[in-house]
Every structure is written in C-alpha cells, then in structure tokens.
Amino acid sequence: MNNIVDEIKKLKEERNAVILAHYYVDGAIQDIADYLGDSYYLSKIAVDCPQDVIVFAGVEFMGESAKLLSPNKTVLMPDSEADCPMAHMVDEYFIARMREKYEDLCVVCYINSTAEIKTMADVCVTSSNAKRIVEALPNKNILFIPDQNLGKHIAKIIPDKNFVFCNGYCPTHYRIKVEDIQKAKQLHPGAPVLIHPECRPECVALADYAGSTSGIIDYATNDQEHDEFIVVTEVGVIHEMEKRNPGKKFYPATDKLICPNMKKNTLEKIRDCLKNNTNQVILDDEFMVKAKKPLERMHELAK
Ligand code: 13P
Ligand code: SF4
C-alpha cells in the first residue's frame, strides 16, 4: 500500500499535479487526496489551485466541470468509465419545449449533468448552493434539471416560484425506501437521520437534516447532543465523519447506498493516469464557451 502511495506522491511532484477527491470514493483515496469535498467545494478548488494537472477522483461531470472552469489545466480521470447516470437524464427537446411554454424560464442545471446539457442551461447549482442561487434568480418559472428530487426539495423551501421538473434521478439514492429509514430508526432510536436531497421526497420528509455531503458531515460534527447518527447517502461519507468524530457512531441506513461509478476509482488507476497521462478530459473549444457560462454564473451567485 505504502509503495503505491509513495509512487503517487513522486508522480504528483514530477507532474506538478493535485488530487481532488469526492467523499463518495474509497477511504484510501480520500486519505491521499490534496483536497476532499463536495461538488461545489471541489469545483472552486479546480479554479483556484495553482498546479498544472488535476487528477479528479470522482465521476465524469466533475472532471468536465473542472476542465470548463480551468481550460488551461490538464484534467485526468482515473477511470474513463466512471460516469454518473443521472448526468444524462434530460433531453434537449424537453428543455426547448419548456422554453417555448414559459417566457421568463430559467433553466437551473444541477452540476451532475453532462457538459452538453450545461450548454442549454442558464445557471448551474450543487446541493449545497441550490437554495441560495434559486432564491437570487429574478425568474418566477424555474426548470430544474436533471434531478427531480433535489429540485422538489428546493421547490418546497421556495414556494413562491413555479418549478418544472424532468424525470432524472440518482440511481444510488433512489434505492433507499421509506421502510429502510423506518427500520434504521427502530434499530437506533433517537439517532438523527441525515439525508442527501437526491433521495425520494418521502424519504427526505423523514429526516432531521437534509443537505449536501459536506452539510451532512458538518451537521454531525457540530451536533453536541447526539453521539449516534443514521446516514442516508453514499456510504463513502462515513470515512470522513468517523475521522472528524472519533467518539460518535454512524450507521448507514442500508447497505444499498454504494455508487458503483464513484467506486471505480482506485489508487492504482490514479497512479496510472498520472504516469501515462491517460483519460484526459478533452472538450471542444466552441462547446466549452457555452458550457462554462452557467458554471461561472453559479460561482458568482454563490459567493
Ligand atoms: P454533493 O457532494 O455536492 O452533495 O453531491 C453528491 C453527489 O451525488 C455527487 O455525485
Ligand atoms: Fe451520480 Fe448518484 Fe453516483 Fe452521485 S451518487 S455520482 S448522483 S449516481
């Protein structure tokens, strides 16, 4: 194990590279990452970090967003097949039809979307800034793509706007059902339920807190009243929760909450992409100009 960690360190120095990792990748990768965080934090780091090369231990839309925001950097993905199925779950004809139907429509696009979908959006959001950004928009009509569940969560918090959704969803968070949460509550009475808003609304309704991966980790860390928590998001977050809170216990609501795409990242693949300069994120120049606009607007509005 140490050998591969040393190899990665050496390659990072040689290539002036930085490793960004999302909380859903394996703990061994989280431990060697230079920056670990939620989607919004990592997209800010992609803009601000001074290195020439970014290795993104995450899924395709994260690497694409890093490239869009930092076009002069080389962005490498450890596994070129690590892709988020939800990122593709909206079609352009639906967006066009909604634009025709609502004159003042704002297309709000979850960062979990392909670069192509971003070219059709007005602004991007993540789960940690969606509320703030949608509230700041002057538009009454919001088309929230592609995640209907995050969209419905935000719509409930902002009742004075009219939201339209598509049918996108995260297949990992979709697996969790009301019965799973009820069972976990029976097993761990009194433990607060912390959930990601990518879960179904009826599950979110049962939670004590709903927020991004960073929000969930911070909530558990700041809670002085409880020492046990039920975690309803991809199990990878528990690694950081345990590190920050040695005295507290974290129970995943089920063993079904594993994102197969995030788990495609390995230390060996990180070493190999750095060594061979493989799996570079390449995007067409013209396409990039359009797709980066909603991301830049997100960063302006989220400040
Ligand atoms: P956040 O880390 O922004 O909460 O995103 C969760 C997620 O599903 C990433 O794919
Ligand atoms: Fe996509 Fe869900 Fe995996 Fe996140 S957890 S990358 S939203 S499939």
Side-chain angles (χ1 to χ4, degrees):
M1 167 72 123
N2 267 341
N3 278 350
I4 189 149
V5 173
D6 290 343
E7 269 186 85
I8 292 172
K9 267 192 195 152
K10 194 163 167 270
L11 283 161
K12 261 193 339 181
E13 270 168 40
E14 282 168 16
R15 299 219 45 205
N16 189 23
V18 64
I19 299 176
L20 273 52
H22 187 267
Y23 290 122
Y24 291 166
V25 300
D26 275 338
I29 300 175
Q30 297 188 34
D31 290 343
I32 60 132
D34 298 290
Y35 296 96
L36 171 66
D38 69 1
S39 311
Y40 177 53
Y41 172 76
L42 294 174
S43 76
K44 275 195 292 191
I45 297 296
V47 181
D48 297 338
C49 68
Q51 288 83 356
D52 302 318
V53 178
I54 294 174
V55 178
F56 214 126
V59 288
E60 191 175 62
F61 75 80
M62 296 180 170
E64 282 184 351
S65 299
K67 184 70 185 172
L68 288 168
L69 290 164
S70 278
N72 297 327
K73 289 179 187 150
T74 299
V75 180
L76 303 174
M77 300 304 288
D79 187 313
S80 60
E81 314 246 293
D83 191 7
C84 170
M86 179 167 65
H88 305 263
M89 289 186 192
V90 60
D91 78 74
E92 61 182 287
Y93 301 105
F94 177 68
I95 301 174
R97 265 196 289 128
M98 292 306 113
R99 282 214 192 267
E100 269 173 32
K101 185 166 175 189
Y102 300 99
E103 225 175 76
D104 78 324
L105 191 74
C106 184
V107 178
V108 176
C109 183
Y110 194 20
I111 197 167
N112 298 37
S113 51
T114 61
E116 191 182 356
I117 288 173
K118 288 186 177 76
T119 64
M120 295 171 247
D122 298 306
V123 64
C124 284
V125 295
T126 74
S127 53
S128 65
N129 61 31
K131 174 182 173 282
R132 180 196 288 225
I133 289 176
V134 176
E135 271 172 349
L137 296 171
N139 317 60
K140 168 97 178 154
N141 291 303
I142 307 291
L143 172 60
F144 197 102
I145 55 170
D147 186 8
Q148 59 178 308
N149 291 333
L150 176 63
K152 286 174 185 166
H153 175 66
I154 299 300
K156 225 174 155 187
I157 305 171
I158 312 176
D160 52 321
K161 293 201 189 252
N162 176 44
F163 283 78
V164 182
F165 308 107
C166 64
N167 294 326
Y169 64 95
C170 159
T172 299
H173 288 87
Y174 186 76
R175 275 184 232 133
I176 193 89
K177 304 220 172 71
V178 162
E179 302 82 82
D180 297 314
I181 298 176
Q182 284 167 340
K183 220 188 272 171
K185 281 177 147 204
Q186 276 167 10
L187 281 172
H188 311 289
V193 174
L194 315 181
I195 203 165
H196 198 286
E198 284 176 13
C199 290
R200 302 160 192 247
E202 61 269 30
C203 292
V204 176
L206 297 178
D208 296 281
Y209 172 79
S212 75
T213 49
S214 293
I216 288 173
I217 295 166
D218 291 345
Y219 184 96
T221 306
N222 297 332
D223 185 327
Q224 306 296 328
E225 264 178 64
H226 303 91
D227 52 15
E228 293 191 326
F229 300 84
I230 296 164
V231 180
V232 199
T233 188
E234 217 277 354
V235 290
V237 296
I238 292 180
H239 185 71
E240 181 67 10
M241 292 174 111
E242 289 178 338
K243 258 175 129 175
R244 287 201 209 170
N245 300 283
K248 295 180 183 170
K249 288 208 170 92
F250 301 100
Y251 307 109
T254 71
D255 53 9
K256 291 182 271 191
L257 278 161
I258 296 173
C259 173
N261 283 290
M262 288 286 187
K263 297 305 193 241
K264 284 181 183 161
N265 291 279
T266 63
L267 288 176
E268 288 75 13
K269 290 178 193 172
I270 289 177
R271 175 200 55 202
D272 294 345
C273 75
L274 265 172
K275 198 173 180 175
N276 306 318
N277 205 32
T278 39
N279 306 337
Q280 268 199 55
V281 177
I282 312 260
L283 295 166
D284 179 76
D285 278 351
E286 203 178 317
F287 188 74
M288 281 178 81
V289 175
K290 272 195 185 168
K292 84 187 273 194
K293 275 192 186 153
L295 278 172
E296 286 176 339
R297 192 163 176 217
M298 169 182 86
H299 281 284
E300 273 161 36
L301 291 174
K303 261 180 209 157

